[in-house]
């Protein structure tokens, strides 16, 4: 059965067999957000839900989807859908990946392991953040079925950056994502009001304190002197001095598919491919960095037009429902990443929450595809849409 019909059936089945548990079942995105808000401290909730500045870009990300409407087609035999795609030689069941989110222990005690396992239940790749609570190796070990990618915060310290790349390869990651929009944190008013930074609590350093190159820079071990490790981290985490020429070093450092995340300008998109990137992720970091930045979906349209049809162009920002995925795909995304959405699932119910919130997103996507007259991703293009 297709995932959409199956999920509907399951929900009604629960009611029929008396297993429907009101407190365990969120359906809409708004339900997940509201429940997450109940279970999380204000600091943790706003860490996840917040943005930079006025939140203009975060809102624009969602509103950009509303500027487009789907124009459904009929008489197209949609009884069986195949929404899979091939990406870097691997088949993905759906064009959806889990975006890197740092310090997931803030959201749930089982943190990244729960999220990676939830993703694995649906066969979706999980992108491990450089700033994960648990080390990449721990996540790989405890979520054995998961397809992992690694997100690199390119450290100012080249030994650490290089060591992270080696570890991503050794842990079996399928791709390397380099995030370029966060060499420093933006002006995040909610976090600043509370003087809240996870790292000050020693959280989010899982990949650093376990790293031989990082440890070699410390006079005393992180176990003996946690404050020393935090201090070093603040000094080497970001690297605002990077330029396009540095990419050559990283490109030679690894044979993994290399994606640049945080691209918004068509000129940068073009340059990325010219310099040997295998893909880009059109993203404004969920509106957490440059407030007032262009919405991801709008940037996607301009970038796809520039780089042509063949290049791998992923996008994230504002993907909340099935129709959003349909629209992004129709506008030229190779696949989309979801960020906060699975964060809410993780907060509400750990592994099961992540699996459920993703299952519902995919169910909605599948049903929207079917009802719009699309049986596969290949036939989906801007012809399927109209401006609202
Ligand atoms: C709480 C939180 C933490 C994040 N941490 C990272 C990170 O460590 N590395 C990274 O590249 N992006 C990070 N991001 C950005 C996401 O990968 C993604 O670009 C964004 O969440 C997409 O927007 P959405 O939340 O609207 O789906 C983070 C986002 C959130 C919400
Ligand atoms: O909050 C973020 O958006 C983010 O990218 C991040 C980076 C390092 C640690 C935690 C989150």
């Amino acid at each position: 059965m297709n995932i959409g019909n199956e999920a509907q059936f399951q929900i009604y089945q629960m009611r029929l067999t008396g297993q429907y548990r009101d407190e365990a079942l969120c359906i809409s995105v708004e339900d997940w957000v509201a429940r997450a808000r109940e279970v999380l401290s204000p600091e943790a909730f706003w860490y996840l839900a917040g943005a930079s500045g006025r939140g203009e870009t975060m809102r624009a990300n969602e509103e950009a989807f509303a500027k487009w409407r789907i124009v459904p087609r009929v008489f197209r035999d949609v009884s069986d859908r195949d929404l899979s795609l091939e990406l870097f030689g691997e088949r993905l069941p759906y064009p959806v990946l889990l975006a890197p989110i740092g310090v997931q222990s803030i959201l749930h005690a089982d943190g990244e392991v729960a999220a990676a396992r939830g993703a694995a239940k649906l066969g979706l790749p999980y992108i491990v953040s450089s700033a994960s609570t648990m080390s990449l190796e721990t996540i790989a070990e405890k979520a054995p079925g998961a397809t992992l990618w690694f997100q690199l915060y390119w450290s100012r310290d080249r030994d650490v950056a290089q060591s992270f790349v080696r570890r991503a390869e050794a842990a079996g990651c399928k791709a390397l994502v380099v995030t370029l929009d966060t060499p420093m944190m933006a002006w995040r008013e909610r976090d600043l009001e509370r003087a809240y930074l996870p790292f000050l609590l020693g959280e989010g350093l899982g990949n650093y304190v376990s790293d031989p190159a990082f440890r070699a820079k410390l006079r005393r071990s992180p176990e003996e002197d946690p404050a020393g490790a935090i201090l070093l981290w603040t000094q080497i985490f970001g690297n605002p001095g990077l330029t396009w020429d540095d990419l050559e070093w990283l490109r030679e450092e690894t044979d993994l598919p290399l994606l640049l995340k945080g691209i918004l300008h068509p000129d940068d998109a073009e340059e990325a491919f010219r310099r040997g990137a295998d893909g880009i992720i059109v993203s404004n970091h969920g509106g957490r960095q440059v407030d007032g930045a262009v919405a991801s979906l709008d940037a996607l349209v301009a970038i796809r037009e520039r780089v042509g049809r063949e290049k791998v162009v992923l996008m994230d920002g504002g993907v909340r429902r099935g129709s959003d995925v349909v629209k992004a795909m129709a506008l030229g995304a190779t696949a989309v990443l979801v960020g906060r959405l699975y964060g809410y699932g993780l907060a509400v119910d750990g592994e099961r929450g992540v699996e459920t919130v993703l299952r519902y997103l995919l169910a909605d996507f599948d049903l929207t595809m079917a009802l719009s007259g699309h049986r596969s991703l290949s036939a989906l293009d801007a012809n399927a849409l109209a401006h609202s």
Side-chain angles (χ1 to χ4, degrees):
M1 215 194 305
N2 299 290
I3 192 167
N5 310 107
E6 197 175 75
Q8 290 170 319
F9 180 80
Q10 241 178 27
I11 289 166
Y12 291 122
Q13 181 82 359
M14 275 192 266
R15 170 55 68 86
L16 280 171
T17 57
Q19 290 171 336
Y20 181 90
R21 290 194 303 130
D22 214 25
E23 76 281 6
L25 206 60
C26 301
I27 301 290
S28 72
V29 183
E30 291 75 17
D31 286 349
W32 290 99
V33 176
R35 194 63 55 85
R37 194 167 185 166
E38 282 168 20
V39 302
L40 293 174
S41 68
E43 285 84 357
F45 178 76
W46 287 113
Y47 164 64
L48 178 61
S52 51
R54 239 187 228 124
E56 227 167 63
T57 293
M58 180 170 66
R59 265 194 308 282
N61 279 345
E62 292 195 33
E63 285 165 9
F65 286 98
K67 293 192 293 190
W68 295 94
R69 300 273 190 255
I70 298 166
V71 187
R73 306 296 303 271
V74 298
F75 271 145
R76 287 186 159 209
D77 183 5
V78 290
S79 37
D80 272 309
R81 281 87 68 192
D82 176 356
L83 305 178
S84 69
L85 74 158
E86 194 174 305
L87 193 54
F88 305 128
E90 306 257 321
R91 186 136 289 272
L92 305 189
Y94 303 96
V96 176
L97 300 91
L98 283 76
I101 290 187
V103 213
Q104 293 182 20
S105 57
I106 293 172
L107 307 175
H108 191 276
D110 299 337
E112 291 87 8
V113 167
R117 285 184 179 165
K121 289 262 174 64
L122 294 152
L124 306 182
Y126 173 85
I127 308 178
V128 176
S129 167
S130 274
S132 53
T133 311
M134 298 170 210
S135 72
L136 169 63
E137 291 78 9
T138 303
I139 300 166
E141 184 199 326
K142 295 196 173 158
T147 301
L148 301 181
W149 290 17
F150 185 72
Q151 176 262 323
L152 180 69
Y153 273 132
W154 188 331
S155 171
R156 201 187 298 252
D157 186 299
R158 188 164 274 198
D159 297 338
V160 172
Q162 184 178 43
S163 176
F164 275 24
V165 174
R166 290 284 89 76
R167 290 170 61 192
E169 291 169 341
C173 293
K174 301 289 187 216
L176 190 68
V177 170
V178 186
T179 298
L180 298 174
D181 57 16
T182 311
M184 57 195 85
M185 293 282 173
W187 187 252
R188 297 186 183 169
E189 296 175 10
R190 304 235 197 215
D191 290 345
L192 291 168
E193 272 162 18
R194 299 180 171 87
Y196 182 68
L197 188 64
F199 305 106
L200 295 181
L201 311 172
E203 303 241 27
L205 299 184
N207 286 317
Y208 295 86
V209 297
S210 62
D211 190 84
F214 183 82
R215 295 180 72 102
K217 318 266 159 185
L218 290 167
R219 264 191 295 121
R220 293 198 294 149
S221 75
E223 295 76 27
E224 286 168 347
D225 178 21
I230 295 170
L231 182 66
L232 177 62
W233 181 84
T234 60
Q235 290 160 355
I236 64 140
F237 160 74
N239 191 347
L242 291 170
T243 70
W244 284 106
D245 288 338
D246 292 299
L247 188 57
E248 199 175 322
W249 171 79
L250 185 61
R251 181 63 288 182
E252 302 212 326
E253 208 41 57
T254 185
D255 291 330
L256 285 176
L258 186 60
L259 296 98
L260 305 186
K261 177 170 183 278
I263 301 282
L264 292 168
H265 200 292
D267 291 353
D268 282 346
E270 211 173 10
E271 188 74 10
F273 291 112
R274 194 181 306 132
R275 300 272 187 164
D278 298 292
I280 58 174
I281 304 179
V282 176
S283 172
N284 49 39
H285 213 98
R288 299 165 75 83
Q289 289 296 96
V290 177
D291 189 37
V294 60
S296 297
L297 192 71
D298 294 335
L300 169 70
V301 173
I303 284 173
R304 180 54 89 189
E305 195 169 302
R306 178 73 70 86
V307 302
R309 293 164 52 100
E310 301 306 318
K311 300 280 193 258
V312 172
V313 179
L314 312 186
M315 72 83 68
D316 73 23
V319 175
R320 297 291 181 272
R321 284 187 155 80
S323 60
D324 299 337
V325 185
V326 174
K327 290 175 186 177
M329 299 300 292
L331 291 172
T334 307
V336 303
L337 278 55
V338 294
R340 292 184 184 85
L341 185 64
Y342 84 83
Y344 297 125
L346 179 61
V348 170
D349 204 9
E351 175 182 340
R352 196 172 69 145
V354 172
E355 184 199 343
T356 308
V357 78
L358 292 171
R359 186 180 296 287
Y360 293 174
L361 174 74
L362 296 175
D364 183 11
F365 170 52
D366 171 52
L367 294 167
T368 307
M369 285 289 282
L371 296 168
S372 305
H374 307 289
R375 201 170 43 209
S376 73
L377 301 173
S378 54
L380 194 57
D381 61 21
N383 264 324
L385 304 183
H387 280 287
S388 70

